[in-house]
């Protein structure tokens, strides 16, 4: 059973869905998506003993406002985290993952988190390749200001990934993904607690293409880091393919 919730922030109202009981997993969708994309993932997380919370990002689905900068989205994520029991594991797809990472630059936010899952996204994609991918999929013109801001934030996001004392799981889509192995390699070089797993059957939108596989991967990883509690091993830079 799921429950619909609302979160009122300074200038927006975010609509969300809560399902399950146990350690909290905050699910952040990709640009152009809605929180409903997480429903199959949430169902598996519930069966595996986790509580999931999925919000529509501002300007998406039933949430108000407009997403124009990464900082605005990061502030929204910080508000989401503050509204939930601590600690919270963050699972972000594409722009959702980057917003989560940007939010974690604030030590007060990072203190309430226990892990980060980046779904087919890394902090510093090569701008030209990222723009080509977005244009090919008809997304570049829809979010021009946001895209410019995100692509200019790569160095700062990579620095945050290296500085946060959190285990990080990267779920890499196996087909049609804008990520290259070198992109993932830079993240692994920046942080000691990075685990990488590839999902061959999925493209960039892993939650849509392979939701149960994604949920099983996240559940298994969470158990490995202590059911949402940060552990010393933290993933140890493994590469699971």
């Amino acid at each position: 059973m799921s429950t619909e919730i609302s979160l009122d922030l300074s200038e927006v109202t975010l609509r969300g869905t809560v399902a399950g009981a146990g350690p909290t997993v905050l699910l952040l969708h990709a640009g152009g998506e809605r929180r409903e994309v997480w429903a199959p993932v949430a169902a598996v997380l519930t069966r595996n003993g986790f509580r999931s919370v999925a919000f529509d990002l501002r300007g998406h689905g039933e949430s108000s406002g407009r997403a124009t900068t990464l900082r605005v989205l990061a502030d929204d994520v910080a508000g989401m985290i503050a509204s939930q029991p601590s600690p919270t594991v963050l699972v972000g797809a594409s722009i959702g993952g980057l917003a989560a990472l940007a939010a974690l630059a604030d030590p007060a936010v990072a203190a309430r988190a226990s892990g980060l899952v980046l779904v087919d996204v890394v902090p510093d994609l090569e701008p030209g390749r990222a723009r080509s991918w977005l244009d090919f999929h008809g997304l570049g013109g829809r979010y021009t200001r946001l895209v410019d801001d995100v692509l200019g934030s790569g160095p700062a996001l990579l620095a945050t990934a290296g500085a946060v004392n959190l285990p990080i799981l990267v779920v890499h889509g196996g087909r049609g993904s804008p990520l290259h192995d070198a992109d993932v390699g830079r993240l692994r070089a920046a942080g000691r607690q990075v685990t990488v797993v590839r999902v061959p059957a999925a493209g960039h939108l892993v939650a849509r293409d392979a939701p149960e596989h994604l949920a099983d991967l996240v559940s298994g990883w969470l158990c490995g880091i202590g059911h949402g509690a940060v552990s010393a091993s933290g993933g140890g830079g493994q590469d699971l393919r």
Side-chain angles (χ1 to χ4, degrees):
M1 177 176 286
S2 61
T3 302
E4 302 303 303
I5 60 172
S6 294
L7 176 61
D8 293 320
L9 299 177
S10 59
E11 57 183 32
V12 295
T13 297
L14 305 179
R15 306 292 184 184
T17 303
V18 179
T24 298
V25 181
L26 178 62
L27 303 170
L28 304 164
H29 63 73
E33 297 263 85
R34 301 168 61 113
R35 69 184 188 273
E36 285 81 6
V37 74
W38 292 113
V41 174
V44 176
L45 290 175
T46 295
R47 292 200 300 269
N48 290 338
F50 295 96
R51 173 179 179 269
S52 66
V53 182
F55 284 98
D56 285 332
L57 299 181
R58 68 162 60 206
H60 293 73
E62 297 179 312
S63 292
S64 63
R66 185 183 177 198
T68 54
T69 67
L70 186 60
R71 182 71 262 161
V72 166
L73 289 174
D75 288 344
D76 289 351
V77 173
M80 296 175 198
I81 294 171
S83 74
Q84 298 303 313
S86 181
T88 299
V89 173
L90 312 180
V91 179
S94 196
I95 189 63
L98 297 180
L101 189 52
L104 291 171
D106 182 343
V109 175
R112 296 183 61 88
S114 56
L116 172 65
V117 181
L118 297 174
V119 183
D120 208 57
V121 71
V122 293
D124 62 337
L125 276 174
E126 197 281 317
R129 177 164 22 98
R131 291 183 192 279
S132 295
W133 189 93
L134 289 167
D135 289 344
F136 179 79
H137 289 86
L139 299 172
R142 292 175 59 186
Y143 305 103
T144 302
R145 183 178 172 189
L146 178 60
V147 168
D148 290 344
D149 186 60
V150 167
L151 294 179
S153 301
L157 292 172
L158 186 62
T160 297
V164 294
N165 185 27
L166 291 174
I168 298 174
L169 172 66
V170 179
V171 180
H172 187 180
R175 55 178 175 80
S177 167
L179 271 64
H180 289 182
D181 288 342
D183 302 319
V184 179
R186 288 193 301 276
L187 176 59
R188 295 182 65 183
R192 297 184 303 276
Q193 302 184 77
V194 178
T195 299
V196 181
V197 59
R198 189 183 298 270
V199 182
H204 180 57
L205 300 176
V206 183
R208 185 177 294 279
D209 294 342
E212 293 192 358
H213 191 173
L214 174 61
D216 285 339
L217 287 172
V218 171
S219 298
W221 179 76
L222 290 176
C223 291
I225 64 172
H227 262 235
V230 177
S231 71
S233 60
Q238 302 173 59
D239 192 350
L240 310 174
R241 296 179 185 269

